[in-house]
Amino acid sequence: MGFLLPSTATMAALLFALAALLFSPELAQAKHIRNYNFDIRMKTVTRLCHTKNIVTVNGQFPGPKIVAREGDQVIVKVTNHISNNITLHWHGVRQLQSGWADGPAYITQCPIQTGQTYVYNFTITGQRGTLFWHAHISWLRATVYGPIVILPKRHVPYPFPKPYKEVTVIFGEWFNADPEAVINQALQTGTGPNVSEAYTINGLPGPLYNCSKGTDTYKLKVKLGKTYLLRLINAAVNDDLFFGIANHTLTVVEVDAVYVKPFNTGTLLITPGQTTNVLLTTKPSYPNANFLMAARPYATGLGTFDNTTTAGILEYEKPNTNSSSTTKLPLFKPKLPALNDSTFTAKFSNQLRSLANAQFPANVPQSVDKQFFFTVGLGANPCPKNQTCQGPNGTKFSASVNNVSFILPTTALLQAHFFGQSKGVYTTDFPTVPPFTFNYTGTPPNNTFVSNGTKVVVLPFNTRVELVMQDTSILGAESHPLHLHGFNFFVVGQGFGNYNPKTDPLKFNLVDPVERNTVAIPSGGWVAIRFLADNPGVWFMHCHFEVHTSWGLKMAWVVLDGKLPNQKLPPPPSDLPQC
């Protein structure tokens, strides 16, 4: 039997088609798979002359850096070698159609139990910049966290001068006690938890603490006349932070993995859950000095807080390496705002604007399908019988959204939703407005009690949402960094006092508002956000102060499937942990 050879013309056409396929831009940009193995292990660590066992990933504190390009697929195999249950959250990653990989315990998954493995699998779509990952169960994220660096696609430049070098700076908190014991004791007694002993930069407290050794200070060595990109991440458990470098100006170029219109500042504010990329241009000639890079809290509540300052040292390389001078250089300290400087924080946040250009548009919903008004703040629960509670007037501290303090279920919400088994797990009657109105930022009402429940809001696919979040002064006005999983949102307005639904929307910025995943509700004020519910699944929204989340300041959105195949949540992976 003979073979029929293709004609010369047919062969040429086949070769041309193959060449076109090989050199097509789509294939050139084909997604790369980034594989990581994360082993959850205990590690002995010493800080502030205090040695203890902490939970880590791969024995590292902070944990390993994940590096990917926009469009890459990230696969992280997580194996739990400790006695605690664990989950990991990829904070700020959109998780389009990959809600099973989002990570909050009992929201999108049951936790990974001792000896178990779970593979997180997601693709980074339409994002570039800095995000981070952290544990998302109880207070384990006090030590379990690390950076996510998302580079632009190949051959796509930054929309700012290319830096000489990139440096990750991640802020955290150090507790001499076990953070799990700290929150368990607070929940038992109903009072506020003990505060941390120190803040840290890249896991190190720095030189301003007692019993902090020389090796406990982060040092950044820089060359003269160079531009560095600092990727700043606030992974602290319970505190907003001011940050500055003595005698240096920072240029803000990106927040929460979204580019912004660049602006200069001596100091910036960064809440837990937020990231900020800044350009630091070093001095052209040797300054004969070292400079503290310091962070300390912005504190607005009535409760106690860790009133300390963490610092690293910016050191210049000497241009003349033959110099053998051992002169001790002067050390300059930055001037940071007062601990409660809300005027500075408002001014800083109002400077943040999206690029809103052809390459990086700000797709702000110009009209909305559903409007929500949520009150956010502290309250109380009655003390259980035969128990003494140390919260306000013998009660237990609680926190709520629209007076509902969220109770975590024992089955993951996403599983219950996907399999149509919500009965007994959650209800869909989350209040879209506060159950009663009062002067939210004025004299608080006599009744401080909250209701308790596992309630969600259901949104049809592609709903354009406007959400106004109002701080309350029930047990003291306070700033709240609210984080929304699964989405970026646009911050279209904010202000102090009570939100006015008639006059405040007239001042909304629908042209170039900042786009982010975590926003601070101003202390004694309000913030308005808009987003498009284009991601099917169950999405957690909560305060990123861990104590407030523990007290119930959290809720969830259920976004229904759309009609098209790429608008539906796929089934869970076979290794999804069971409760």
Side-chain angles (χ1 to χ4, degrees):
M1 187 178 173
F3 289 99
L4 200 62
L5 289 171
S7 67
T8 309
T10 310
M11 279 293 287
L14 282 169
L15 287 169
F16 179 80
L18 184 64
L21 187 66
L22 286 172
F23 294 103
S24 72
E26 288 81 5
L27 209 69
Q29 293 283 10
K31 68 181 174 186
H32 185 78
I33 297 176
R34 311 268 180 168
N35 283 292
Y36 291 89
N37 281 322
F38 277 18
D39 286 305
I40 311 294
R41 296 187 183 279
M42 301 305 291
K43 167 91 172 179
T44 304
V45 171
T46 302
R47 298 288 185 274
L48 309 182
C49 298
H50 196 93
T51 301
K52 65 171 188 171
N53 278 337
I54 64 170
V55 183
T56 67
V57 168
N58 299 348
Q60 297 177 40
F61 173 63
K65 181 191 295 183
I66 283 183
V67 180
R69 287 194 183 276
E70 178 187 343
D72 283 355
Q73 183 180 2
V74 178
I75 297 174
V76 188
K77 181 182 177 184
V78 178
T79 306
N80 185 7
H81 300 279
I82 65 169
S83 58
N84 307 66
N85 288 345
I86 191 92
T87 71
L88 296 184
H89 169 53
W90 319 95
H91 183 110
V93 173
R94 283 290 319 270
Q95 297 293 1
L96 287 160
Q97 287 189 286
S98 54
W100 303 105
D102 191 45
Y106 302 106
I107 304 296
T108 60
Q109 67 167 98
C110 299
I112 307 165
Q113 296 173 33
T114 308
Q116 288 185 345
T117 294
Y118 180 48
V119 177
Y120 290 93
N121 186 343
F122 53 90
T123 297
I124 294 170
T125 308
Q127 294 181 279
R128 75 295 300 168
T130 304
L131 296 171
F132 72 117
W133 57 264
H134 60 78
H136 213 303
I137 183 168
S138 190
W139 278 27
L140 290 187
R141 77 173 182 86
T143 58
V144 181
Y145 59 83
I148 301 176
V149 171
I150 307 171
L151 302 170
K153 290 182 177 178
R154 288 196 182 278
H155 314 302
V156 177
Y158 293 129
F160 46 81
K162 186 180 179 184
Y164 166 73
K165 193 177 180 185
E166 301 185 9
V167 178
T168 301
V169 175
I170 190 162
F171 305 107
E173 279 184 83
W174 173 263
F175 292 81
N176 281 343
D178 174 8
E180 291 297 278
V182 169
I183 184 56
N184 288 341
Q185 182 189 19
L187 293 176
Q188 186 84 30
T189 60
T191 187
N194 292 337
V195 299
S196 57
E197 272 69 34
Y199 301 104
T200 57
I201 294 177
N202 293 346
L204 301 169
L208 305 181
Y209 291 98
N210 290 334
C211 208
S212 186
K213 299 171 184 168
T215 52
D216 280 353
T217 298
Y218 172 70
K219 292 181 180 175
L220 176 58
K221 293 198 171 176
V222 295
K223 295 180 185 291
L224 297 173
K226 301 287 187 187
T227 297
Y228 292 77
L229 179 69
L230 305 186
R231 296 177 177 271
L232 308 175
I233 301 164
N234 188 351
V237 180
N238 288 317
D239 289 283
D240 301 332
L241 295 170
F242 292 121
F243 173 76
I245 302 176
N247 298 16
H248 288 74
T249 299
L250 304 172
T251 304
V252 178
V253 293
E254 177 250 300
V255 296
D256 292 5
V258 182
Y259 297 133
V260 296
K261 291 184 172 77
F263 66 93
N264 294 335
T265 184
T267 306
L268 57 85
L269 174 75
I270 184 166
T271 78
Q274 290 184 338
T275 61
T276 305
N277 279 5
V278 297
L279 296 177
L280 164 70
T281 300
T282 57
K283 298 181 182 300
S285 54
Y286 187 68
N288 273 312
N290 289 328
F291 305 91
L292 278 188
M293 36 198 298
R296 79 167 185 213
Y298 163 58
T300 53
L302 299 177
T304 54
F305 61 96
D306 179 353
N307 182 9
T308 63
T309 303
T310 182
I313 297 177
L314 185 75
E315 293 182 347
Y316 278 78
E317 286 186 18
K318 283 191 176 176
N320 179 10
T321 50
N322 297 329
S323 169
S324 59
S325 168
T326 54
T327 313
K328 193 172 181 186
L329 296 173
L331 182 63
F332 290 102
K333 297 181 181 180
K335 290 187 174 76
L336 296 177
L339 292 165
N340 60 352
D341 192 343
S342 295
T343 306
F344 172 88
T345 64
K347 186 182 171 192
F348 178 79
S349 56
N350 283 328
Q351 287 179 278
L352 294 167
R353 292 278 191 271
S354 288
L355 281 183
N357 59 22
Q359 190 181 3
F360 303 106
N363 297 316
V364 193
Q366 296 298 305
S367 58
V368 294
D369 303 309
K370 293 203 174 181
Q371 289 177 302
F372 300 91
F373 183 71
F374 288 178
T375 51
V376 172
L378 303 187
N381 267 318
C383 190
K385 284 183 180 174
N386 304 321
Q387 196 180 325
T388 304
C389 296
Q390 296 168 15
N393 302 316
T395 63
K396 280 191 161 193
F397 266 115
S398 185
S400 67
V401 181
N402 273 354
N403 211 49
V404 178
S405 187
F406 191 88
I407 296 174
L408 270 185
T410 52
T411 301
L413 295 183
L414 186 59
Q415 241 173 312
H417 160 66
F418 185 85
F419 293 109
Q421 298 167 343
S422 61
K423 192 173 181 185
V425 180
Y426 66 85
T427 59
T428 58
D429 56 345
F430 188 91
T432 57
V433 292
F436 58 95
T437 51
F438 60 99
N439 181 0
Y440 304 116
T441 55
T443 306
N446 291 331
N447 184 2
T448 62
F449 286 151
V450 300
S451 64
N452 301 278
T454 309
K455 300 172 186 280
V456 304
V457 174
V458 178
L459 296 171
F461 185 81
N462 261 356
T463 302
R464 292 165 299 182
V465 176
E466 180 180 286
L467 168 62
V468 176
M469 293 182 282
Q470 171 75 58
D471 183 35
T472 61
S473 58
I474 293 175
L475 289 175
E478 196 165 354
S479 168
H480 296 279
L482 255 288
H483 172 50
L484 175 60
H485 290 227
F487 299 95
N488 282 350
F489 50 76
F490 292 96
V491 183
V492 296
Q494 55 191 321
F496 291 111
N498 293 340
Y499 173 72
N500 185 320
K502 289 192 175 69
T503 58
D504 285 326
L506 302 175
K507 297 175 278 192
F508 281 0
N509 174 9
L510 302 180
V511 178
D512 63 348
V514 69
E515 181 182 351
R516 31 190 355 159
N517 63 60
T518 304
V519 67
I521 303 171
S523 176
W526 56 272
V527 66
I529 66 172
R530 287 187 178 185
F531 66 95
L532 179 68
D534 60 351
N535 195 3
V538 178
W539 304 107
F540 206 24
M541 189 175 84
H542 60 97
C543 183
H544 226 269
F545 290 156
E546 213 58 53
V547 58
H548 291 174
T549 294
S550 299
W551 285 340
L553 209 166
K554 51 197 174 190
M555 55 84 64
W557 305 83
V558 173
V559 179
L560 302 176
D561 281 352
K563 291 177 181 172
L564 301 175
N566 66 345
Q567 299 172 343
K568 297 181 191 301
L569 178 71
S574 58
D575 63 341
L576 185 74
Q578 300 301 306
C579 287

